[in-house]
Amino acid sequence: MSAAREELAEAGAVLAAEAARFASFGWMRGTSGNLSVVVSRDPLRLAVTASGRDKGELSASDVVLVDAFGMAVDGGKPSAEAALHARVAALTGAGAVVHVHTVASVAMGRRRPGGIVFRDLEMLKGIGRPAHGVAVTLPVIANSQDMTELGDRLEAARNPDVPAVVVAGHGLYAWGATPLQARHHTEIVEWLLELELTER
Ligand SMILES: [Zn+2]
């Protein structure tokens, strides 16, 4: 196996384990959602989970290498959403991106199309925000099937202090420096959304 292939398989193994975790939470039902990790910054290359696979049953080979436009570099079929992963990685400097279709993100995106505000919650520390006295806005952007348009909306709406965006009627994108940090950010933001949904 070439070094590049080996590196891609390693990334695939990490993403398969992360996907199995999120699938076990019911966040990636019916093959929905996708995960990525940056394998090269210049030129930008990401390993992204392959399209149409059950996210609870991925193997290390169920991964596609894509460029900054989300196009496959070396064969395979990436999700159309790979382009948004690449855009997030380019825009934020993130090393890993998580996209899940959770009930709480869709429900809260519907209730607060202008953004969801959190404050005075210990869990805010998990995304690097103060636990007290500061309002933290999670942006909500309108959905689109055009990934360039969706990326433009994300770029315009994103809060540099919050490593996540809700896409209305669709789901949640969250990111971090590593797959582990992206996982923790996803879990924290989903927790915040579930709390908000439960309270009002
Ligand atoms: Zn999606």
Side-chain angles (χ1 to χ4, degrees), residues 32-34 81 99-101 170-171 173:
S32 67
N34 26 69
E81 292 170 324
H99 171 51
V100 286
H101 293 189
H170 184 162
Y173 277 83

